[in-house]
Amino acid sequence: NYCMITADQAVYAKALEVIWAHQAEFSNVVLRLGGFHTACAFMAAIGKRFADAGLQDLLVESGIVGLNAVKAVVTCKHYNRAVRVHKLVFEVMMQQCWQANEPTFSRAAAEYDELKDQLSAVRSTGAFEKCSDICESPAFKVVFASLEEAMGASAAPPMAVFWLTYLEMVSLLLQFIRATRTKNWPLPLACFRQMLKWFHAYDHCNY
C-alpha cells in the first residue's frame, strides 16, 4: 500500500516539497533520507569537532592513516576508511575507559568476574556469535551500568568530558549504520533525533 523512496539530501529536499504540494496524490509515498549520506555528514561533523583537538595527530602518529590522507578521512571523503578509523579509535578509548574505571566495579564484583569468564571463553573458542547473547546477559548490563555511571561522573576533568562525547558520537554512528543494514526502522529515527544537535552545532543544518 505504500511506496518507500530513499534519496540523498538534495533530492530529498525537492521531493519533500513536491509531496507537501500534492499531499492527496502522494499520500502513500514514504520519503526517507539516505543512510549513506547521513552517515557521511555525521562523520564529517565528528571530524570537525575532534580533528584539531588531536584526532588527526593521533591517526598519523599511530600509523593508522598517512599524513596525506588524514584530512580526507576525518572529513569523510573516504567512507570505508573513515568508518574503520572511528571503529579502531572507539575500541581503544573504550579499553582505556574500562581499565581506568575498573576499581569502580567493586560493587559489581561477582558480575564483573562472570563477564570476564564469558569473554575469555569466547576468545579461546572463537565463538564470537555468542557476543550478542553476552551483551543481553544480566552480568553485562550491571557492569556496563557501573561503567556508564563512572564515565558520567560530574567530577571528570573537562578534557575527559570532551573526549567522552567522541565515544557518544561514534557509538551513535555505529548504531545508525547497524540499524540501516538490519532494516530496524525505528532505530535509525531514534539515532537521527540524537544526531540533530550535532548537525546544528557543526553547520550541517540541511540534514
Side-chain angles (χ1 to χ4, degrees), residues 61-184:
E61 292 179 13
S62 63
I64 298 175
V65 181
L67 181 61
N68 295 329
V70 67
K71 186 174 182 181
V73 170
V74 297
T75 57
C76 197
K77 301 299 182 184
H78 300 300
Y79 176 82
N80 290 331
R81 295 184 69 182
V83 173
R84 174 179 172 271
V85 160
H86 288 306
K87 283 182 178 179
L88 290 173
V89 177
F90 179 84
E91 181 179 354
V92 171
M93 291 183 67
M94 281 301 297
Q95 288 177 355
Q96 294 296 318
C97 287
W98 276 92
Q99 293 172 8
N101 292 288
E102 193 168 6
T104 64
F105 299 149
S106 57
R107 290 176 295 174
E111 290 84 356
Y112 185 53
D113 291 338
E114 179 185 346
L115 182 60
K116 286 197 296 184
D117 292 340
Q118 291 175 347
L119 294 175
S120 297
V122 168
R123 181 181 295 178
S124 60
T125 60
F128 296 106
E129 66 276 3
K130 295 183 179 179
C131 288
S132 58
D133 295 332
I134 293 175
C135 291
E136 295 296 327
S137 67
F140 178 85
K141 292 179 180 178
V142 170
V143 173
F144 198 75
S146 299
L147 177 65
E148 287 187 318
E149 182 181 350
M151 290 169 60
S154 58
M159 186 57 69
V161 173
F162 174 75
W163 280 101
L164 285 174
T165 61
Y166 177 82
L167 296 178
E168 175 190 342
M169 294 178 76
V170 175
S171 176
L172 188 58
L173 169 70
L174 297 178
Q175 288 182 62
F176 180 80
I177 293 173
R178 178 177 180 270
T180 303
R181 291 176 178 176
T182 58
K183 298 181 181 179
N184 183 350

Side-chain angles (χ1 to χ4, degrees), residues 4-78:
M4 179 170 285
I5 301 174
T6 302
D8 63 15
Q9 192 273 331
V11 177
Y12 175 85
K14 295 296 183 183
L16 204 57
E17 291 178 3
V18 173
I19 291 175
W20 286 341
H22 306 279
Q23 294 185 23
E25 186 175 352
F26 297 106
S27 59
N28 64 335
V29 174
V30 178
L31 194 60
R32 182 172 177 269
L33 188 62
F36 172 77
H37 294 275
T38 303
C40 284
F42 192 62
M43 280 190 280
I46 294 174
K48 195 170 184 179
R49 179 173 174 82
F50 295 100
D52 293 330
L55 182 61
Q56 286 189 137
D57 297 334
L58 170 67
L59 298 178
V60 173
E61 292 179 13
S62 63
I64 298 175
V65 181
L67 181 61
N68 295 329
V70 67
K71 186 174 182 181
V73 170
V74 297
T75 57
C76 197
K77 301 299 182 184
H78 300 300

